[in-house]
Amino acid sequence: MSDHKVLELIRQADRAITAQDFDTLMDFYAEDAVLVVQPGQIASGKVQIKKAFEAIAKHFQNALTVTQGAAQVLEGAGTALVIMETFLFIGDTKEPVKRQATYVFQRDEKGRWLCTVDNSYGTGLLDAA
């Protein structure tokens, strides 16, 4: 994995998801960010994104652990596209659900990287269309 700042932010966000600390998780998102909840279902803005994560946690009986694998970051014009492996461990399962995720981060006026598009399904969205 590269040492790009957004990768550390993603690791911190994953820890917040696993700990179900959704208030802290919202610090990683832009106000008008979007989250792909599942193919065909998008949460827009921090309020909807937080509700979506609460529902996801409940759906997985509060037993979801998120980790990341290989990653590539492409940065230009204050925007970073992240392509990475995402692993979802549900409960005590040993074999994770593996996804090829895509994320978009944008640098704000204070120089902070904020997630504007969170798509853990990556190009798999094309298969669901």
Side-chain angles (χ1 to χ4, degrees):
M1 237 198 236
S2 151
D3 288 335
H4 197 284
K5 173 68 175 166
V6 297
L7 296 177
E8 177 55 31
L9 293 173
I10 291 169
R11 287 189 287 271
Q12 291 172 15
D14 288 346
R15 289 191 292 271
I17 292 168
T18 299
Q20 298 178 49
D21 183 357
F22 303 124
D23 289 328
T24 296
L25 181 62
M26 292 307 100
D27 293 341
F28 296 98
Y29 288 93
E31 289 298 325
D32 57 350
V34 296
L35 166 71
V36 178
V37 178
Q38 61 185 2
Q41 184 179 4
I42 306 292
S44 298
K46 286 186 176 187
V47 172
Q48 284 186 14
I49 291 171
K50 183 177 178 185
K51 287 179 183 177
F53 275 111
E54 291 168 347
I56 290 166
K58 184 176 180 180
H59 175 77
F60 290 114
Q61 300 174 350
N62 302 312
L64 179 65
T65 301
V66 182
T67 62
Q68 306 296 334
Q72 291 289 321
V73 179
L74 304 169
E75 181 184 342
T79 302
L81 170 64
V82 182
I83 303 165
M84 95 183 336
E85 296 174 314
T86 297
F87 300 103
L88 308 173
F89 292 87
I90 302 161
D92 293 332
T93 59
K94 301 293 182 212
E95 290 297 317
V97 174
K98 180 181 173 184
R99 294 184 181 157
Q100 299 289 332
T102 54
Y103 307 101
V104 177
F105 282 76
Q106 194 166 40
R107 200 183 304 260
D108 72 3
E109 65 280 351
K110 295 178 183 175
R112 299 176 302 165
W113 287 103
L114 296 173
C115 185
T116 57
V117 178
D118 182 337
N119 173 22
S120 70
Y121 291 89
T123 59
L125 286 180
L126 298 174
D127 299 332

